[in-house]
Amino acid sequence: MDIVGDVINGLIGPVFDATWNSLKAQYHQGLQETDQKQKLIEAKKAIDQASKNYHQTYLDRHCNIKVLPGLMKEGMPLDTIYTDVKFLSSSDLKYFSTLDDMEELYRTAGNRRFRVGTDERQDGLKVANEEQYLMVLGGPGVGKSTFLRKLGLTALKGNLDHGQMPVFVELKSFKGEEMTLQQSIAKELKTNGFPYSESIVKSMLAEGKMLILLDGLDEVPSNQVDGVIDQIKDFCDQHRQNRFVASCRVAAYKGGFNRFTDVTMAEFDDEQIKQFVQRWFSSKLDQDASTAERFWELIQQPENRSAKDLAQTPLLLTFLCLVYDRSQSLPTVRSTLYGDALDILLKDWAAEKRIKQDTIYQGFHADLEKVLLSEIAYKSFKKDQLFFSEQEIIERVAAFLSDTLDAPEHLDGAAVLNAIEVQQGVLVERAANIYSFSHLTLQEYLTARYISKKSLIQELVSEHLIDERWREVFLLVSGLLEERSQELWLAMEQQAIVFVNKPKLQRLLQWTVNISDTTQASNQMLTSRAWLLYSAIDIASASARARARAIASASAIASAIASASAIASARASAIASARASAIASARAIASAIASAIAIARASAIARASASAIASASAIASDIDSDALSNKLEELKEQIPAATATSIEWREFADELVEVYLSFFHLERALITFSFEEAKALENYLYAVKLIIDCKNAAVRVSRQQWEAIESRLLTPQE
């Protein structure tokens, strides 16, 4: 009498076959035949309905993802948003033991990801299908619960090899002192209307027909965790015919599950981030607007590398998608964006998970915690330290608490570190007793927060203005200072002037002022001066190969300054044309001089350069455009043949340079730099570009104050 298979249409299917036979045997004992038949009919109907209920209830309870209720109005179906999970075969804690190792490995990797070591990844569902006992480890917000839910849904659909019924148990709600794990599973079935649920569970466990999903071992209240762990171990021993998957935060996992294979959830790589974004923005409206593609392109841009750093975890990637969804852009005020991300980790996520917090949080509120983390971040970042020992953090925490008047007396450094690591994941153990912040972006934000709160602007500028490692910190400080941000810009301007306090560089800046079109608005004037400098420096680069690297870097920064400061105006199209022309001109001249390397392309490049220089007059005054055009037309006739010698090409390039110098009233001596002069100019232009970027990252910009600063940039000292 195979009732169940026909009833539930394959949703749970054959997993009940043996159970049903066992139940029938129980009903037959001591019953009259009529009673037996009626009981079986009733049980058939009950299991029929309960089976349907179970699948739907699983979808309703576990397959509607609403990670951040404060930001998400509606949940999203698990199958719609789920991104393929990848496991690391083992933890990196085994491989590295010293701080120097970690620092060196991070810098060698050349990216913003703190995780170093082996990165051999395995498909998560494939591993879970193969392993009978699996412990899924990972930090907060990496998607452990979502993975277990997806695994259960995959089993319900019959897409795992073992034909078992999944039961999802949230361990934070499991009252180990009140009931056994088996009773808890029976309660789950009874809730869905299964008759004789305890007998069903007993029979199914005996037949090995259950997939037990134990979510959130780290979320069990601390006073119950030992008892719950013992129960799980005993339960696995007693019912070894079944399969078990558990999850736990790395920091809370103490081992001891000898039957289980431990795997660590990998942070998202680019492929996973892109897949997540595509699935998040999958509505018809988003597909028509190519929202996913535009968002992916946006976070790929260099200026958004810090935002992309956060996207490595599904929790914060969800946050970024929600932010983008509201405005179809990422806010220029990054300090607000990263501050909100930090609050999600410190407050919102713990509240959403409904974790019973450690006793330390009874007096250690989030604002006090931010002050502590800011101090740790700043002092470490200032020492160029991204990794620190456990003992070092504990000592810093202890010193902070002893110096904080309203800090609870019962707190100690080790307990605070453990709570921050386990519950929030802001600090992460990367190797045995070696820690870092979970994201470099969070360390930069907290460093900037410390500087803005302590008013360390002068120290920041005098010590780190041209250190590119501090660039993001400068931008964040500018945002955090709000209406005081101009104090930072003024300090940066004064420090930048020191770099060009040399006669030749002052004369070069004066040249840009003299030749610029003075009828332009201040922002257009800055654009023009930047492009004139860009052109002049590129000529210098072509004329001085030994110093080309420093000069070329300065040239690129000057180009970036022009791009950052240019805005739409009546002359915008002329400026854009001049920009493209200047780039073509610079490359053409450099290529002509290096013709021995690329002589086959030199003729075409030289032709492009001849017309390119003419357009540069669009951003300068006092240029005889007609005469320049005539001269360049003459040069076109003198372009060497492709078979010309390198000497002939060099002579042609020199003549092209002389045309530029002559018509733009520029002395060759003025662009013949020593290495020190070239480096000073590079530093100055880097600082100017950073000032502009800081202005763009500010919360509020006073028009009057900014126009005053802007008018002085790329000009000589009075």
Side-chain angles (χ1 to χ4, degrees):
M1 191 176 186
D2 186 6
I3 298 174
V4 178
D6 295 333
V7 169
I8 61 179
N9 298 319
L11 295 181
I12 298 175
V15 298
F16 281 110
D17 291 354
T19 302
W20 178 249
N21 292 330
S22 175
L23 287 174
K24 283 197 299 181
Q26 296 178 43
Y27 299 147
H28 278 285
Q29 285 185 339
L31 295 176
Q32 295 296 322
E33 183 175 345
T34 303
D35 292 335
Q36 294 172 5
K37 184 176 181 180
Q38 184 62 35
K39 286 286 187 181
L40 290 174
I41 292 173
E42 291 175 359
K44 171 187 177 299
K45 291 179 179 179
I47 291 180
D48 179 355
Q49 188 59 47
S51 300
K52 296 176 181 177
N53 290 347
Y54 190 81
H55 190 96
Q56 187 59 49
T57 301
Y58 190 94
L59 290 173
D60 294 341
R61 290 178 61 186
H62 305 306
C63 300
N64 192 45
I65 306 301
K66 196 173 184 180
V67 179
L68 298 169
L71 295 174
M72 296 179 68
K73 294 180 181 179
E74 299 178 354
M76 299 188 71
L78 175 62
D79 265 352
T80 298
I81 195 63
Y82 180 77
T83 298
D84 295 337
V85 165
K86 298 179 182 179
F87 289 151
L88 301 173
S89 56
S90 58
S91 171
D92 282 336
L93 297 182
K94 303 175 182 177
Y95 296 103
F96 312 111
S97 58
T98 70
L99 287 170
D100 289 342
D101 283 341
M102 299 297 288
E103 295 282 357
E104 177 63 25
L105 284 163
Y106 168 77
R107 284 165 173 75
T108 301
N111 56 47
R112 293 176 60 84
R113 297 183 180 225
F114 278 145
R115 207 195 74 77
V116 292
T118 59
D119 198 26
E120 297 178 4
R121 298 174 174 228
Q122 306 173 71
D123 179 78
L125 289 176
K126 181 175 182 294
V127 172
N129 193 39
E130 294 172 350
E131 298 290 343
Q132 184 179 0
Y133 302 91
L134 191 68
M135 179 63 71
V136 179
L137 304 173
V142 300
K144 300 182 298 296
S145 297
T146 301
F147 172 73
L148 262 64
R149 290 186 172 102
K150 174 65 174 180
L151 184 62
L153 183 59
T154 304
L156 278 176
K157 292 180 176 180
N159 293 331
L160 294 182
D161 291 343
H162 311 285
Q164 294 170 316
M165 176 184 176
V167 179
F168 191 90
V169 180
E170 291 184 294
L171 292 176
K172 67 182 178 185
S173 303
F174 172 54
K175 309 297 184 184
E177 73 282 6
E178 299 176 6
M179 64 176 65
T180 66
L181 192 56
Q182 184 166 325
Q183 289 171 334
S184 179
I185 296 171
K187 181 182 176 183
E188 180 78 8
L189 266 63
K190 184 177 182 180
T191 300
N192 287 277
F194 280 102
Y196 309 100
S197 57
E198 292 187 5
S199 296
I200 288 177
V201 170
K202 180 179 178 181
S203 297
M204 292 184 73
L205 288 172
E207 294 293 330
K209 296 296 184 179
M210 302 203 85
L211 170 62
I212 311 299
L213 305 170
L214 304 168
D215 184 49
L217 181 61
D218 54 281
E219 298 173 15
V220 177
S222 55
N223 61 339
Q224 300 179 30
V225 67
D226 290 339
V228 170
I229 289 175
D230 288 341
Q231 263 211 61
I232 292 173
K233 291 179 181 178
D234 292 343
F235 189 79
C236 292
D237 289 340
Q238 294 166 9
H239 305 289
R240 61 178 63 92
Q241 303 94 324
N242 300 273
R243 304 178 74 83
F244 302 87
V245 180
S247 72
C248 185
R249 295 186 182 183
V250 174
Y253 186 57
K254 306 306 178 185
F257 287 82
N258 296 331
R259 288 184 180 273
F260 284 70
T261 298
D262 297 343
V263 291
T264 304
M265 289 190 69
E267 294 178 332
F268 275 4
D269 56 21
D270 281 4
E271 178 185 351
Q272 290 169 292
I273 295 173
K274 187 173 183 179
Q275 183 185 99
F276 184 98
V277 169
Q278 289 172 336
R279 294 187 173 183
W280 184 276
F281 297 110
S282 59
S283 69
K284 179 66 165 61
L285 181 63
D286 285 325
Q287 289 179 16
D288 292 343
S290 300
T291 306
E293 290 74 13
R294 288 188 288 109
F295 178 65
W296 173 247
E297 290 175 3
L298 183 66
I299 62 172
Q300 290 284 84
Q301 295 173 6
E303 61 268 26
N304 291 321
R305 61 176 187 165
S306 296
K308 187 180 176 184
D309 177 36
L310 299 178
Q312 296 170 37
T313 56
L315 173 64
L316 295 181
L317 179 53
T318 297
F319 165 66
L320 292 176
C321 288
L322 288 168
V323 170
Y324 184 79
D325 198 27
R326 287 186 297 186
S327 61
Q328 297 298 294
S329 66
L330 292 177
T332 55
V333 183
R334 294 291 194 264
S335 55
T336 302
L337 182 70
Y338 303 154
D340 290 345
L342 181 63
D343 283 340
I344 286 173
L345 295 178
L346 296 186
K347 295 185 290 188
D348 298 353
W349 184 234
E352 167 60 20
K353 296 291 282 185
R354 299 293 190 271
I355 301 172
K356 184 178 179 181
Q357 293 185 329
D358 288 331
T359 55
I360 71 160
Y361 287 105
Q362 295 173 6
F364 193 64
H365 51 81
D367 290 336
L368 185 62
E369 185 177 359
K370 285 182 186 177
V371 176
L372 167 62
L373 291 171
S374 296
E375 185 174 302
I376 294 174
Y378 172 76
K379 292 183 177 179
S380 301
F381 205 80
K382 188 173 177 61
K383 294 195 301 183
D384 194 11
Q385 180 184 12
L386 302 178
F387 299 90
F388 17 82
S389 69
E390 179 181 33
Q391 186 60 36
E392 183 179 1
I393 302 180
I394 291 175
E395 290 173 357
R396 289 185 183 181
V397 174
F400 175 85
L401 294 174
S402 66
D403 192 45
T404 302
L405 184 62
D406 57 347
E409 294 183 0
H410 68 274
L411 297 184
D412 65 80
V416 170
L417 172 60
N418 181 69
I420 292 174
E421 182 188 11
V422 171
Q423 295 195 11
Q424 300 159 344
V426 179
L427 293 172
V428 178
E429 189 176 30
R430 302 292 183 180
N433 302 318
I434 296 176
Y435 286 76
S436 77
F437 283 90
S438 57
H439 301 82
L440 179 55
T441 297
L442 293 183
Q443 185 174 8
E444 290 168 335
Y445 170 79
L446 288 164
T447 298
R449 186 180 186 277
Y450 185 89
I451 292 169
S452 62
K453 294 290 185 182
K454 296 288 186 180
S455 298
L456 300 178
I457 295 174
Q458 289 296 335
E459 179 181 305
L460 172 68
V461 171
S462 62
E463 296 182 10
H464 307 296
L465 178 59
I466 58 173
D467 186 346
E468 194 166 356
R469 191 173 66 89
W470 285 76
R471 181 182 180 278
E472 192 70 27
V473 174
F474 273 88
L475 301 179
L476 293 169
V477 170
S478 185
L480 289 167
L481 287 173
E482 297 182 347
E483 294 189 355
R484 294 175 50 225
S485 55
Q486 69 272 8
E487 296 176 22
L488 173 66
W489 312 337
L490 287 168
M492 295 168 70
E493 181 191 5
Q494 291 302 310
Q495 184 67 29
I497 289 172
V498 175
F499 297 129
V500 287
N501 191 19
K502 305 176 189 301
K504 182 183 294 184
L505 299 182
Q506 287 292 302
R507 294 202 310 275
L508 181 63
L509 293 177
Q510 186 62 57
W511 169 77
T512 65
V513 172
N514 293 342
I515 200 170
S516 298
D517 185 348
T518 56
T519 64
Q520 296 174 319
S522 60
N523 63 312
Q524 296 167 346
M525 285 281 289
L526 180 58
T527 303
S528 297
R529 292 195 294 265
W531 281 121
L532 288 166
L533 270 177
Y534 170 71
S535 300
I537 297 167
D538 256 13
I539 296 296
S541 175
S543 303
R545 308 311 299 174
R547 296 178 294 280
R549 182 175 180 181
I551 300 172
S553 178
S555 173
I557 299 171
S559 168
I561 292 171
S563 298
S565 59
I567 63 169
S569 67
R571 298 176 58 88
S573 60
I575 293 172
S577 175
R579 174 190 180 194
S581 300
I583 295 172
S585 174
R587 290 176 177 168
I589 294 169
S591 297
I593 291 178
S595 59
I597 300 174
I599 196 167
R601 298 188 308 162
S603 178
I605 295 174
R607 287 188 177 88
S609 71
S611 60
I613 294 179
S615 299
S617 62
I619 57 175
S621 63
D622 196 25
I623 299 295
D624 189 339
S625 300
D626 291 338
L628 178 57
S629 296
N630 292 334
K631 182 61 178 176
L632 292 174
E633 285 298 324
E634 293 177 15
L635 283 176
K636 279 186 181 181
E637 303 302 322
Q638 302 174 27
I639 296 175
T643 56
T645 66
S646 59
I647 294 176
E648 291 173 314
W649 275 102
R650 185 178 297 277
E651 290 173 349
F652 173 75
D654 286 341
E655 188 171 358
L656 196 59
V657 170
E658 287 298 331
V659 169
Y660 180 90
L661 297 175
S662 174
F663 278 88
F664 283 84
H665 314 298
L666 183 61
E667 301 174 17
R668 185 183 287 271
L670 203 56
I671 57 171
T672 304
F673 303 115
S674 67
F675 177 80
E676 291 74 17
E677 289 168 334
K679 191 63 180 173
L681 184 58
E682 178 191 359
N683 291 341
Y684 173 70
L685 293 173
Y686 176 87
V688 171
K689 175 64 167 56
L690 186 56
I691 292 171
I692 296 172
D693 291 341
C694 284
K695 181 266 293 186
N696 294 332
V699 172
R700 178 181 182 273
V701 179
S702 164
R703 182 187 302 275
Q704 183 179 4
Q705 291 170 338
W706 174 248
E707 287 181 351
I709 294 173
E710 187 178 49
S711 67
R712 296 190 297 267
L713 297 177
L714 302 184
T715 63
Q717 288 180 271
E718 296 181 358

